[in-house]
Amino acid sequence: RPYVLLPQRCINGRPLTRTLSASQVENYLACPYRWFVNSRVVTRRLDVEFGPIERGNFSHDVMQRFYERLAECGLVRVRPQTVDACIEQMDIAFDEVRADHLRGKYTHGKYAAEERPRAIRGALVPLDELERMRVDAMREQFHEVVRREADLLPIYEPARFEYSFDKQGVTYAGRPLGGRIDRIDVAPDAGSGKRFVVIDYKTGNTALGLDDVYFGLRLQLFLYLDAVLALRGAKPAGVFYQKLSEAPM
């Protein structure tokens, strides 16, 4: 159907437009009941402050800070000849983000320049020695990510991180679409005009199967691609998941 019908909410008698996110759309198509429980039912988790959501938030923050540091020191991206130097930058980024999550606010990276330190929602906070050891083990996983990135899309360079397209006029099924794209890489020397790829970080076992794409069950990456096309006008070259624990797809 061309449109999505949702209950209309009002504040002080004025209709409030509900914005959809790409992940909400994909989750609903995969399992409406799971979407309802995760998005509309207020639940309490036993692993509060150290569950998959917090680990995912931490991983995203580490990757963003890592590429910020590469840009600051002129490395831009990981290349085979700079792997060791990039791993050093990853260690620094890891330690900075770990300290920020323990504080509950950003004191490094782009948010550090704000007048008031921005609070971290869903911070990763280990509560005992076992959880601290699990955080320590994540460092080597990020080293492996750096090594893989050296050979990943060699002509592309990271250009945007946590790219927000809220309130930018992007729509899906008649409703405003918003959200954040984990990473956009561009290839300035790819022939006629700039080309780009959309990258979404995953810490779980999500796979991008062609059948799921064909039947419209895996739309998140392609909704992101449409958003970039609508706002930037570059030429799309691909979309993929970057698994932070395994090889990318």
Side-chain angles (χ1 to χ4, degrees), residues 174-187:
R175 290 283 179 169
L177 183 71
R180 290 181 181 272
I181 301 172
D182 291 343
R183 191 167 120 204
I184 303 171
D185 287 13
V186 300

Side-chain angles (χ1 to χ4, degrees), residues 50 52 55-56 58-60 62-63 66 86-87 90-91 94 124 133-149 201-205 242-248:
F50 206 83
R55 290 195 296 272
F58 178 79
S59 297
H60 280 69
V62 168
M63 292 299 293
F66 168 63
C86 290
I87 287 178
M90 174 59 82
D91 281 337
F94 185 93
L124 183 68
M133 290 173 62
R134 292 174 66 184
V135 175
D136 290 336
M138 294 175 70
R139 186 187 299 270
E140 182 56 35
Q141 294 179 1
F142 284 110
H143 289 179
E144 289 302 315
V145 171
V146 172
R147 296 184 183 103
R148 290 198 303 266
E149 293 259 329
Y201 297 135
K202 295 295 183 184
T203 55
N205 295 318
Q242 167 71 311
K243 291 189 177 182
L244 300 183
S245 56
E246 302 174 15

Side-chain angles (χ1 to χ4, degrees), residues 202-233:
K202 295 295 183 184
T203 55
N205 295 318
T206 303
L208 188 62
L210 292 180
D211 287 345
D212 290 339
V213 174
Y214 180 81
F215 289 107
L217 298 178
R218 290 292 184 191
L219 293 181
Q220 183 178 9
L221 285 173
F222 299 95
L223 292 175
Y224 287 162
L225 184 141
D226 283 344
V228 179
L229 280 173
L231 299 176
R232 303 181 64 82

Side-chain angles (χ1 to χ4, degrees), residues 147-215:
R147 296 184 183 103
R148 290 198 303 266
E149 293 259 329
D151 298 315
L152 181 67
L153 303 171
I155 66 172
Y156 285 82
E157 295 181 352
R160 295 287 186 274
F161 313 101
E162 300 297 325
Y163 178 73
S164 174
F165 57 96
D166 292 338
K167 300 179 181 179
Q168 297 296 313
V170 180
T171 62
Y172 171 79
R175 290 283 179 169
L177 183 71
R180 290 181 181 272
I181 301 172
D182 291 343
R183 191 167 120 204
I184 303 171
D185 287 13
V186 300
D189 301 319
S192 57
K194 286 189 174 182
R195 297 181 185 272
F196 72 92
V197 294
V198 170
I199 299 172
D200 190 57
Y201 297 135
K202 295 295 183 184
T203 55
N205 295 318
T206 303
L208 188 62
L210 292 180
D211 287 345
D212 290 339
V213 174
Y214 180 81
F215 289 107

Side-chain angles (χ1 to χ4, degrees), residues 80-91:
Q81 64 272 24
T82 63
V83 168
D84 290 342
C86 290
I87 287 178
E88 291 180 7
Q89 294 300 319
M90 174 59 82
D91 281 337

